[in-house]
Amino acid sequence: MQSERMGELFVRNGLISSDQLYNALEKQKQLGGNKHLGEMLVSMGLVSERDRVRILGEHWGVPYADLTVESVNPVVATMISQDLARRYKVIPIEIEGARMKLAMKNPLDIFATDEIRVITGKEVIPVIATEEDILFAIGEAFKGGGSEADTILREFEDEVSIDTTRTDEDTPIDQLKEIAAEAPVVKLANMIIQRAVSEKCSDIHIEPSREHVKVRYRIDGILIDGLIVPKNAQASLTSRIKIMADMDIAEKRAPQDGRISAIVDNKPYDFRVSTLPAVFGEKIVMRVLDKSNINVGLHKLGLLPHTFDMFESMLMRTYGIILVTGPTGSGKSTTLYSCLSKVNAGDKNILTIEDPVEYELAGITQVGVNKKAGMTFANGLRSMLRQDPDIIMVGEMRDQETAMIAIEAALTGHLVFSTLHTNDAPGAVARLMDMGVEPFLIASATVGILAQRLLRRVCEKCKMPYEPPKDAIKRLGMNLDDIDRSKVTFFRGRGCDTCKGSGYKGRVGCYELMPVTDKVRELILAHASAYAIREAAVEAGMKSMKEDAMEKILLGMTTLEESLRVIYAG
């Protein structure tokens, strides 16, 4: 077995004992084999990350490069672009004639070695190195590139003086306030935010580690590396962002939430800020909300014609509840706002209660949850029912009380929109029952349930035909015998400057819409399983999420691999 062979290498190199190997293998089995042995040993504190990577290299027959000892030639390192280096987690470190030594996180990645061989014209000799060492070396190699980030970081090091012997915990508050107001720190924070806006990212992650602070951006649902900030900038950068978000900079041991409102590129943005105390300091996550450019409108969501027509007819109802389900970050809020825009004809009283109000919609009264003032979802919803509403949107049904009030509102002549966290449309019924809602209320009030995910779109600038792996096609449930290959072409992105080498640009929704028909109502009243409800819904015209994804693959909107990553669950 591969894990045992690798384990023998750890023992042979004197890094662990045979007993420790046995314990690690047993723990690996308990976790279902989801964690590689080396990662297990690191998490158990038995070996270091560098030792894990060194042994992995020995196992693969690839030399190990310690980039903290081995010097990286900056001229050689910059023979490939910084974007390419960060995308593949690689850096060229040495050239000998026609051969280039390339430090890689994954030296078995033939796509990376082939692309770099074509770009540089050199034969690539892969060596293995830790991801952290590679990213640090990339940051060092491109420091002289004249980018805005490098200029600001150099200015920070030159002008900002902070006692590096102090920890983030014991730096005096007055000193932090002074440094947080200095020009380099202000520029650094602004640059991080500016870059997030220009890259159209949804979240900014500022993550402290032992040696440095990493900034990462979530673009089209995927976290990508941004820049490495020196460790001595951590306290001042954290304080600057907390001051901007109106947080308590003296409180470093408890999580905090705040909000930044800013004008970036002449457009208003909101940033929802969350801090979390971690081992090496406070981790900060900022959700980016473009208040002026929410992409609302049913026709923009990516609903296929059959699903679009069915959903549009549901929105024409005068009462009942329509639920949108999916995990965090699946686009539920955008779908709800699109529904509100569709029904907002100016002749109805529309009220929303949200936590928080993400985007402002003209002609609609929006209320934010404020627990300190007693404005919970349930209390706010009760008050809204006394405001003569026609349509109500409840940001999320989190508890039985909120769910009961929303359903009673739907049964008394109001059209209600809300969200739930479930994996699929039939699962929403079971979730409501788990919350204590009676089946007869669910059956009577629910009009339809829309489950959704977001798939990355193939970049239009570098779109190219390709042949996907046959096992991946079968895994998604697609039968090649049913496809006329002379008429169907699979597409993916080659990778270009527009998509930052990812092959994807933008996202499109993937949906399954379950109409609550008489048959479905009977099954809900009979406490039927989600499987039975799904079968009845399919008979009534529901297309599953996998079927929706298949159509979008065949239309060239997304790739088979992306669909498997996002919606495959069996």
Side-chain angles (χ1 to χ4, degrees), residues 326-398:
T328 301
S330 60
K332 297 188 298 295
S333 295
T334 300
T335 298
L336 287 179
Y337 283 126
S338 297
C339 293
L340 293 176
S341 296
K342 176 68 179 176
V343 299
N344 184 19
D347 58 348
K348 293 181 175 67
N349 180 22
I350 303 176
L351 304 174
T352 77
I353 181 160
E354 308 166 57
D355 183 22
V357 175
E358 292 189 8
Y359 301 100
E360 297 165 10
L361 298 177
I364 294 175
T365 302
Q366 295 171 269
V367 178
V369 167
N370 186 340
K371 291 179 183 176
K372 289 181 181 176
M375 179 63 82
T376 61
F377 273 115
N379 291 340
L381 193 48
R382 281 199 195 90
S383 300
M384 287 162 65
L385 290 172
R386 297 192 287 271
Q387 291 283 314
D388 185 32
D390 295 296
I391 298 169
I392 296 170
M393 190 265 271
V394 184
E396 185 182 342
M397 291 204 295
R398 295 178 180 171

